[in-house]
């Protein structure tokens, strides 16, 4: 069993996050890739950058916290600490958290936080007929969840030196539930969820490969390729992946939660006493990195990430994650622009964009794009 998650650089932080090393199987090792399609180059230049954003991934080496805790007269269900894959895992862990909250038997439930976890949990609880009130210091568009890329890919949210076998077993089930949760939203007008031809590139030599997180069967059209790869890398995993535009998606699921009856109150809870003073006796904690101060979770560490958005290119319908000599770079296409990423700084909380990183990413993606013409 190989469980190590390589710290590398996606919206999460890994490339080809792995669970098991197995010999290549004929079903997923064709010798050509994406027959019949062409790749338009990303037009990556500084004068096409429309905005650069910074966010802090709420990382716990031992993985997200998903459990109940009795605090005074309250039951608190924790659902936070999803590192670089909170959007990806949102339907999985929120369904579990909502189930635990519902099982307390209380009709009135408080949710703290209105990022992707708080919104999804509130939506699920409201749909199950609970009287839900969300308390949040920040609402969309001002949450970390709004900053995210987003590629649906469960990676970058634990260190296998710190994670338990129990966590991994349960996590596999939740990954699959998380994916299932997004499927009804694909191409639904206004939600910003759609398929992309995704390419995970690496320098790996032939011989073995890692099963993708949650199982290969949840990655449609998966191909493992050592020849004719995008940008000429040694190895490529190509599959259909979901891209989620959080600016559209979070607005819509917040509206859905409101339509289902959830109420939203803009409020920062500064101390545990503030939490215990809430009128509801069942509380779901979806505060992301905020749980470090509010619940004293010292294991939470920020991982700083910076993304630059380029002007839209409707012809770009593929995405990639690529290791380069200057770090891992990734590109996700949105209707509103092209998202360039490739930074992760463990323990760093600076929120100002770093111009040197903007230049590095824009240049790095331009270099990759130039390889397309030499491949043609
Ligand atoms: C650059 C970058 C790229 C990323 N790319 C991806 C990706 O491709 N795929 C993916 O799945 N994930 C990605 N992520 C990770 C993802 O953004 C996070 O895992 C996710 O946003 C966590 O969601 P959350 O709801 O737990 O936290 P948040 O979105 O941070 O929401 C927390 C909520 O709690 C509230 N809160 C906090 N403290 C308090 C308090 N004391 N009182 C009241 N309210 C409080 C906040 O105001 C907010 O409403 C990326 C992150 C970054 C930074």
């Amino acid at each position: 069993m190989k469980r190590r998650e390589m710290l590398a650089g996606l919206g999460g932080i890994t490339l080809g996050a792995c669970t098991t090393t197995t010999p290549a199987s004929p079903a997923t090792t064709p010798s050509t890739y994406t027959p019949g399609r062409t790749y338009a180059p990303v037009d990556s230049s500084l004068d096409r950058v429309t905005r650069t954003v910074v966010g802090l991934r709420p990382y716990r080496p031992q993985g997200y916290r998903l459990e109940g805790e009795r605090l005074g007269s309250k039951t608190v269900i924790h659902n936070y600490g999803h590192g670089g894959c909170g959007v990806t895992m949102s339907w999985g862990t929120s369904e579990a958290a909502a189930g635990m909250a519902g099982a307390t038997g209380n009709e009135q439930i408080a949710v703290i936080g209105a990022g992707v976890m708080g919104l999804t949990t509130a939506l699920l609880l409201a749909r199950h007929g609970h009287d839900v009130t969300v308390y949040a210091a920040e609402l969309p568009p001002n949450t970390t969840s709004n900053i995210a890329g987003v590629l649906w890919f469960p990676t970058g949210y634990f260190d296998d030196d710190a994670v338990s076998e129990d966590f991994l077993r349960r996590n596999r089930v939740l990954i699959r539930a998380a994916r299932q949760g997004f499927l009804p939203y694909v191409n639904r007008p206004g939600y910003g969820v759609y398929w992309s031809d995704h390419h995970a590139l690496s320098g790996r030599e032939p011989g073995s490969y890692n099963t993708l997180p949650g199982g290969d069967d949840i990655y449609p059209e998966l191909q493992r390729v050592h020849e004719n790869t995008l940008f000429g890398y040694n190895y490529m995993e190509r599959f259909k992946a979901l891209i989620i535009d959080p600016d559209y998606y979070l607005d819509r699921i917040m509206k859905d939660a409101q339509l289902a009856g959830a109420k939203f109150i803009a409020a920062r809870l500064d101390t545990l006493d503030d939490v215990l003073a809430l009128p509801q006796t069942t509380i779901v904690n979806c505060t992301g990195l905020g749980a470090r101060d509010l619940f004293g979770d010292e294991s939470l560490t920020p991982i700083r990430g910076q993304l630059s958005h380029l002007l839209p290119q409707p012809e770009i319908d593929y995405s990639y994650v690529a290791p380069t000599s200057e770090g891992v770079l990734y590109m996700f296409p949105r209707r509103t622009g092209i998202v360039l990423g490739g930074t992760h700084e463990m323990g760093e909380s600076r929120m100002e964009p770093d111009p040197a990183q903007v230049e590095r990413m824009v240049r790095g993606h331009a270099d990759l794009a130039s390889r397309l013409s030499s491949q043609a």
Side-chain angles (χ1 to χ4, degrees), residues 180 191 244 315:
Q180 207 63 27
Y191 283 79
I244 299 144
E315 68 277 22

Side-chain angles (χ1 to χ4, degrees), residues 11-12 55-58 79-89 112-118 135-139 143-145 147-151 153 267-270 286-291 294 303 305-307 330 332:
L56 306 179
R57 305 172 179 104
N79 181 23
Y80 69 86
H82 298 78
C85 84
V87 181
T88 298
M89 291 302 291
I112 317 177
V116 72
M117 288 301 159
Y135 302 87
E138 300 289 351
L139 299 167
T143 70
T144 301
S145 301
I147 301 293
V150 169
L151 175 76
F153 194 68
R268 172 174 294 281
L269 308 180
D270 288 318
C286 301
T287 51
L289 201 55
L294 193 56
I303 300 184
Q306 177 171 312
L307 304 177
Y330 59 87
F332 307 149

Side-chain angles (χ1 to χ4, degrees), residues 70-107:
R70 193 81 187 153
L71 286 174
S73 60
K74 312 282 187 186
T75 301
V76 177
I77 313 294
H78 297 287
N79 181 23
Y80 69 86
H82 298 78
C85 84
V87 181
T88 298
M89 291 302 291
S90 54
W91 285 102
T93 66
S94 296
E95 197 174 310
M100 284 187 262
T104 62
N106 290 315
E107 195 198 327

Side-chain angles (χ1 to χ4, degrees), residues 181-229:
F182 273 105
L183 294 181
Y185 296 97
V186 179
N187 291 343
R188 198 193 279 191
Y191 283 79
V193 181
Y194 37 86
W195 294 109
S196 164
D197 278 336
H198 183 66
H199 306 74
L201 304 161
S202 81
R204 190 180 304 155
E205 296 299 329
S208 69
Y209 64 81
N210 299 314
T211 304
L212 294 177
D216 282 354
D217 60 307
I218 60 172
Y219 300 87
E221 296 185 359
L222 174 62
Q223 298 178 328
R224 294 190 160 92
V225 182
H226 281 284
E227 291 175 338
N228 299 323
T229 61

Side-chain angles (χ1 to χ4, degrees), residues 37-43 48 311-319 331 333-335 338:
R37 69 151 297 162
T38 53
Y39 290 83
V42 170
D43 194 352
R48 291 178 57 81
L311 286 169
Q313 276 185 269
E315 68 277 22
I316 305 287
D317 57 354
Y318 63 96
S319 49
M331 185 281 291
R334 291 189 189 172
R335 306 287 186 252
I338 301 294

